[in-house]
Amino acid sequence: KILTDSKATKSDIEAQIQEWLPRRVTKESTVFVYYAGHGAPGSGGKEAFIVPYEGNPDYPSQLYPLERLYEALNRLPARHVIVMLDSCFSGAKGRSVTGAGTRPIHISIENPVLASGKVAVLAAAEGSQVSSDDDKVQHGLFTYYLLRGLRGEADSDGKGVVELGELYRYVRSNVAVRASREMNRDQTPILLPAATGERLKIPLARTR
């Protein structure tokens, strides 16, 4: 299911996550949720929201809480749930100054729901950094390497399957180097919660 522009309103997102998706997931499913766009902080910076098409960060009622997203996904009977966020987690509280090619909102995506649930989150940057756009490829820098990795470049052991740990290491390395050398900024993708062992071996894509 793809939601873009005017089809990605708050009510659209809620309907697909909370009503459409649960009817199509089984205990054998692997669920992927990809979001590219703005994030926003709540009052005090303790809550985090994604900003729908019509959303205004000044009005929390128009935003979709990340915690609600995580809770809805954790309730699914799926075997694995992978969330990929190409959103900006940087900027200053109050007035912020941002450069060209950034999605300027400051949020934190860490959440207690993630610690005990089945959801793994691969995010474009740490909380104090910007999520860069790359005009050359018409993608976010994170998304560009995410796609290349899923198509096979992240298959470091050559087994024909891209695993979560492989994709994370590939994206983290390439994004960090490119952002530093070409954009003169720090951008380090993160994986939450800190995955170890079998979770890192979750298969995401076959390359042959």
Side-chain angles (χ1 to χ4, degrees):
K1 176 67 70 171
I2 300 176
L3 304 178
T4 60
D5 300 329
S6 62
K7 299 298 183 181
T9 65
K10 181 183 178 184
S11 61
D12 289 325
I13 295 171
E14 289 176 331
Q16 303 306 321
I17 293 294
Q18 296 165 212
E19 299 174 21
W20 182 89
L21 186 57
R23 293 182 178 275
R24 289 159 175 81
V25 174
T26 72
K27 63 181 181 180
E28 301 300 323
S29 299
T30 296
V31 176
F32 295 91
V33 177
Y34 167 82
Y35 172 75
H38 289 302
S43 58
K46 295 182 179 180
E47 296 177 279
F49 302 87
I50 60 176
V51 182
Y53 179 76
E54 83 287 21
N56 184 328
D58 292 330
Y59 299 95
S61 63
Q62 296 181 357
L63 309 177
Y64 187 67
L66 271 184
E67 183 170 8
R68 186 184 302 172
L69 173 67
Y70 296 155
E71 289 176 343
L73 295 176
N74 266 320
R75 288 194 296 268
L76 297 173
R79 176 178 293 181
H80 304 298
V81 181
I82 311 298
V83 178
M84 302 173 182
L85 297 175
D86 194 352
S87 298
C88 192
F89 309 143
S90 75
K93 294 179 180 178
R95 180 179 297 181
S96 62
V97 179
T98 59
T102 64
R103 300 185 178 101
I105 300 290
H106 178 279
I107 67 175
S108 172
I109 63 166
E110 296 184 46
N111 190 288
V113 174
L114 295 177
S116 59
K118 69 184 71 175
V119 178
V121 178
L122 182 56
E126 295 179 356
S128 60
Q129 300 172 343
V130 300
S131 175
S132 306
D133 283 329
D134 188 337
D135 293 336
K136 296 178 183 178
V137 296
Q138 300 295 303
H139 273 307
L141 185 62
F142 170 77
T143 295
Y144 175 68
Y145 283 108
L146 189 74
L147 293 173
R148 289 182 61 164
L150 287 170
R151 288 168 180 157
E153 291 187 19
D155 182 18
S156 58
D157 59 12
K159 293 182 178 178
V161 176
V162 176
E163 298 175 344
L164 177 59
E166 291 178 314
L167 182 63
Y168 168 57
R169 290 187 292 270
Y170 171 85
V171 171
R172 181 182 175 91
S173 174
N174 283 281
V175 169
V177 170
R178 181 93 174 271
S180 178
R181 291 180 179 175
E182 297 188 16
M183 301 172 183
N184 200 37
R185 62 169 65 115
D186 293 329
Q187 182 179 343
T188 309
I190 57 175
L191 181 63
L192 296 172
T196 58
E198 292 302 312
R199 179 169 260 193
L200 291 175
K201 296 181 181 180
I202 295 174
L204 302 183
R206 295 190 180 277
T207 60
R208 61 170 183 251

